[in-house]
Amino acid sequence: MAGLSAEERLDRLRLIRTPTVGPVAYGELLRHFGGAAAALDALPGLARRGGAKAAPKIPGRAQVLREIAAVEALGGRLVLLGDGDYPPLLEQVEGGPPALSVLGHLHLVRRPAVALVGARNASAAGRRLARDIAEGLGAAGLVVVSGLARGIDGAAHEAALA
């Protein structure tokens, strides 16, 4: 994983798993403090200055190591913003997810992709149309992406995988 040391990866995961830190704040903290360790050190003081009654509950190293082990036990891995194989297009999205749990073929994120999404409670005709479209897109070499919901999303993925 080019780009991040093992310590920075752990600290970044601790930072994004801190309940008061969302994707936008995560990016701002890294930019301002230059790294996750410095941002983690600054969080209690920032919370006090912001009027919080208690310091944020920052996960410990053991907690994020358990998370990494759980993902790896399932055959997956965690990819963090700043890792060499973080999806390049997703990296351009402001407020995009700083951490991804990945299962499958990560090299596919570099291929042309199209999102195919729709109603969860789709009609049979809608699901059939989604399957037809996704099957053609998949056969043409495009990666079909969605939120993996039932209905249109699920039908699209099933057909694209075929």
Side-chain angles (χ1 to χ4, degrees):
M1 317 241 173
L4 297 177
S5 70
E7 287 302 310
E8 180 67 10
R9 292 185 92 250
L10 288 177
D11 287 341
R12 284 185 178 210
L13 192 54
R14 291 177 63 213
L15 184 61
I16 193 55
R17 296 303 187 239
T18 300
T20 56
V21 178
V24 173
Y26 171 90
E28 290 173 0
L29 287 165
L30 287 178
R31 277 188 292 281
H32 183 77
F33 292 102
L40 288 167
D41 289 343
L43 277 180
L46 292 172
R48 272 192 307 278
R49 280 191 277 157
K53 295 184 192 309
K57 296 193 184 310
I58 300 170
R61 290 174 51 84
Q63 185 175 342
V64 297
L65 286 169
R66 282 192 302 274
E67 178 182 352
I68 292 168
V71 170
E72 289 175 351
L74 295 171
R77 64 190 177 104
L78 285 170
V79 177
L80 300 177
L81 183 61
D83 280 339
D85 44 0
Y86 187 90
L89 291 176
L90 194 53
E91 198 167 35
Q92 297 175 26
V93 176
E94 186 176 343
L100 300 170
S101 297
V102 177
L103 181 64
H105 304 286
L106 192 56
H107 71 279
L108 294 175
V109 302
R110 302 215 183 287
R111 289 187 33 204
V114 63
L116 187 58
V117 296
R120 288 183 179 164
N121 297 318
S123 66
R127 288 191 307 274
R128 191 170 38 258
L129 180 59
R131 279 193 294 273
D132 290 347
I133 292 169
E135 187 174 13
L137 293 169
L142 293 167
V143 174
V144 175
V145 296
S146 80
L148 294 175
R150 67 179 186 269
I152 298 297
D153 295 37
H157 277 287
E158 287 174 18
L161 288 172

